[in-house]
Amino acid sequence: MSLSVNAGGGSSIKESLASWGDLAGLLRGGDQGAIVPVVIPRDNRGLRWTVLVWFGLFALCSALMMALNASAGGFVLGVAYVVLAVPTLIVGVLSIVVAGLWWWRSSIIEIEEGTHGILTKYGAIVKPIGPGRHYLWHPWSRVDFVVDTRTEIPYTAPVLACPTRENVPLKSIEFFLKFQITDPIRFVTIIGASNFDLVLSSAVQDAIRQRSRLVNTESAYDLRGSNVEDMRRLLNGQLEKYGVRITGCNIPDVQLPSQYQQHLSTRERVAKELVAYEQEWELTRKRRIDTLLMDIERSKKTRDAKIVEVNASLNKARKDVAQMLEEQETEAQRVRYEIETRGRADLVAAENEAKAQERLATAYRDNRAVLEYELARRRLDVGATLAGRAPRPVVVQTEAGAGDGSALSTLLTAQLLPQVMDGRGARTPLGGSGGSGGAREVLDSAQGAVAAAAERQQQLADEYQRQQGAAMREQFERGEGYGGQGRR
């Protein structure tokens, strides 16, 4: 919305009377530089459409009368009345239709977006109506005011000769605010746009003067862009009863008296020179700092180079040490492998020797079994020989009842038996004493052979045990452990 500054340099608020077509231009652009938040629309509806209604009713009544006269009169007169009644009827109907359209079209009103209309009936306010199309069917209903309720309306109010704390009048303080109409009915009924201009200007002047009384003259420029939230709350408290809310405000400009302006210009010049000296010193200090930083960076680079050399030497030493350790580890691994190989070879030799001794023992055991078998066989032969040469009893059987059971017969038989046995013994290959001596010799030789074989087998077993113990002691002394597994 455009602003206009009046003779005092501030904005002015007023309400205007305009047709419905000029409402948007006035609310958005103002009227002759003044802010127009309220527009009174001209109501051109009136009751002129009722003329057509009365004319239509008269035409319908005339057509009805002509129709009655046509039915009551003769043929010629009836035809004439009918010819006149039909156009009259058509004219009456058309008049009523046009009057209805006129009434319908004049009852339509359109409220702009962001505005509210104040609806009245018989001059009394009924309600506010929102944006959009509305129908006022009642002839005495009308919209008396259209109020802008969405736009934050800007307002400037320069205040002249505001005294400071030292009672020095400032040249002017420009105050800028934005307000919004929140309750259109209260705004138009309580105060109105023109009166609101006076009230708002007075309230702003009082607030600005109260603020200027709190500051010194030298710090008056601090009012520019300062926090004026307390002033906004104060103005809202004063204007809330009128349905208006201040949405924002600030102080864009403060003008001091000429004497203080010169004084402040001198102070500003000195302050600028001070700032220039400070900037020059800051540049000098920065140059010195940059020089020191460059020296520090140069020292750091030299130090980094030396660190790189030291790290290279250290890496080379570590590499040499690692290589030497690797060679020693390789040599130790080789020696360990040799020891393990020699130990495994000795273990294999010991195992082979043990297997040979085991086979020899098995052979001795088998020989012992053969000797035992031979001894047993010879024992059987000797037993058979001895059994063949042993005396045998002779059973003399006599028949029962033969009468040979006397003592004489028994004596004769005992005398004849040795002769019979001596004759049989002379027919054998070996004599009685010679055969007994040969069997004994054979038995003694067999027992001696068995004893010699057993003694030899025991000697071999003891020798095998001694060799096994010696091999195990050597293996443990070499640190290979049992079974050829050396310590890793």
Side-chain angles (χ1 to χ4, degrees):
M1 179 175 291
S2 63
L3 295 178
S4 178
V5 180
N6 55 17
S11 302
S12 62
I13 303 173
K14 72 174 185 177
E15 58 186 20
S16 298
L17 178 64
S19 62
W20 285 96
D22 298 333
L23 286 178
L26 289 175
L27 292 174
R28 299 294 182 264
D31 182 18
Q32 297 179 359
I35 301 172
V36 182
V38 179
V39 176
I40 302 174
R42 292 190 181 93
D43 190 4
N44 296 325
R45 293 188 305 157
L47 297 176
R48 288 175 291 180
W49 56 274
T50 57
V51 175
L52 294 177
V53 173
W54 292 113
F55 178 75
L57 291 176
F58 175 75
L60 291 176
C61 292
S62 299
L64 180 61
M65 294 300 296
M66 290 179 184
L68 293 175
N69 292 328
S71 61
F75 177 74
V76 176
L77 188 58
V79 172
Y81 278 120
V82 169
V83 171
L84 293 175
V86 171
T88 304
L89 179 62
I90 294 173
V91 170
V93 171
L94 289 176
S95 298
I96 293 175
V97 170
V98 170
L101 291 175
W102 191 353
W103 178 40
W104 170 77
R105 184 64 186 89
S106 62
S107 64
I108 296 175
I109 61 170
E110 293 180 356
I111 305 298
E112 292 288 335
E113 183 67 28
T115 61
H116 280 75
I118 307 300
L119 180 64
T120 62
K121 182 184 290 186
Y122 298 111
I125 295 177
V126 178
K127 62 178 179 178
I129 56 177
R133 174 174 290 186
H134 301 273
Y135 293 93
L136 304 181
W137 300 111
H138 197 280
W140 285 271
S141 294
R142 65 184 61 193
V143 176
D144 286 344
F145 302 97
V146 176
V147 184
D148 188 355
T149 56
R150 175 176 295 184
T151 305
E152 293 182 352
I153 304 170
Y155 182 84
T156 58
V159 182
L160 304 178
C162 295
T164 60
R165 181 178 295 177
E166 296 90 352
N167 204 21
V168 176
L170 299 177
K171 192 173 183 179
S172 67
I173 298 178
E174 185 176 354
F175 188 75
F176 174 80
L177 61 85
K178 294 184 294 183
F179 68 91
Q180 184 178 9
I181 299 174
T182 57
D183 192 344
I185 293 180
R186 292 170 63 183
F187 183 78
V188 299
T189 56
I190 295 177
I191 188 169
S194 300
N195 295 329
F196 179 73
D197 185 17
L198 298 176
V199 172
L200 181 60
S201 178
S202 300
V204 168
Q205 296 231 3
D206 291 340
I208 290 295
R209 293 181 187 279
Q210 291 178 12
R211 173 58 65 89
S212 65
R213 279 291 186 180
L214 300 176
V215 298
N216 296 322
T217 307
E218 294 182 355
S219 59
Y221 276 138
D222 296 338
L223 291 174
R224 293 182 297 184
S226 61
N227 186 8
V228 292
E229 186 64 23
D230 55 343
M231 297 177 64
R232 188 179 71 85
R233 289 195 297 268
L234 177 63
L235 293 175
N236 278 329
Q238 295 177 1
L239 302 178
E240 185 179 4
K241 59 184 176 181
Y242 303 125
V244 177
R245 179 170 59 90
I246 305 297
T247 58
C249 57
N250 64 352
I251 300 175
D253 188 23
V254 176
Q255 295 183 6
L256 298 177
S258 302
Q259 181 181 358
Y260 278 95
Q261 286 183 359
Q262 293 177 1
H263 175 65
L264 290 178
S265 63
T266 305
R267 289 184 60 186
E268 289 180 358
R269 180 175 55 80
V270 173
K272 289 180 181 179
E273 291 178 357
L274 178 61
V275 170
Y277 288 137
E278 289 179 352
Q279 291 178 354
E280 184 178 358
W281 165 245
E282 186 69 20
L283 291 175
T284 304
R285 188 175 65 86
K286 285 184 177 180
R287 283 197 297 268
R288 292 180 180 178
I289 292 175
D290 293 339
T291 304
L292 292 175
L293 291 176
M294 290 177 63
D295 295 339
I296 293 172
E297 290 295 330
R298 192 180 300 109
S299 301
K300 285 183 179 179
K301 289 181 180 179
T302 305
R303 183 197 62 185
D304 294 339
K306 292 182 178 180
I307 291 174
V308 169
E309 292 178 358
V310 172
N311 289 333
S313 302
L314 182 60
N315 292 332
K316 184 178 180 182
R318 288 178 179 174
K319 184 177 180 181
D320 295 339
V321 171
Q323 185 176 2
M324 182 178 64
L325 291 176
E326 185 177 0
E327 292 176 355
Q328 292 181 358
E329 183 69 21
T330 304
E331 182 66 21
Q333 191 75 10
R334 185 183 62 78
V335 173
R336 187 179 66 183
Y337 286 160
E338 289 179 357
I339 294 172
E340 289 180 356
T341 304
R342 188 167 58 252
R344 288 194 184 95
D346 295 340
L347 179 61
V348 170
E351 289 179 353
N352 293 333
E353 183 67 23
K355 290 180 181 179
Q357 294 294 334
E358 185 179 0
R359 291 191 184 94
L360 182 59
T362 303
Y364 285 154
R365 186 172 62 250
D366 295 341
N367 292 334
R368 183 177 181 180
V370 172
L371 291 175
E372 289 179 356
Y373 173 74
E374 186 67 25
L375 179 61
R377 188 177 63 78
R378 288 186 181 185
R379 284 179 181 176
L380 291 177
D381 292 342
V382 172
T385 303
L386 292 177
R389 292 178 179 273
R392 294 189 294 272
V394 178
V395 180
V396 180
Q397 296 181 354
T398 59
E399 295 179 359
D404 293 334
S406 63
L408 182 60
S409 60
T410 303
L411 181 61
L412 291 175
T413 302
Q415 290 177 358
L416 292 174
L417 282 174
Q419 296 177 0
V420 174
M421 296 303 295
D422 290 338
R424 187 177 298 178
R427 290 193 294 269
T428 58
L430 298 175
S433 60
S436 175
R440 188 176 294 109
E441 291 176 358
V442 172
L443 180 60
D444 292 337
S445 62
Q447 290 178 350
V450 171
E455 185 178 359
R456 178 61 179 167
Q457 185 177 5
Q458 184 65 32
Q459 292 177 358
L460 291 174
D462 294 340
E463 183 67 23
Y464 174 72
Q465 292 292 335
R466 286 194 299 274
Q467 291 179 359
Q468 286 290 95
M472 292 179 67
R473 282 194 299 275
E474 291 178 0
Q475 185 176 358
F476 279 106
E477 288 175 0
R478 289 194 303 267
E480 296 179 357
Y482 177 73
Q485 299 295 329
R487 289 175 300 195
R488 301 300 182 199

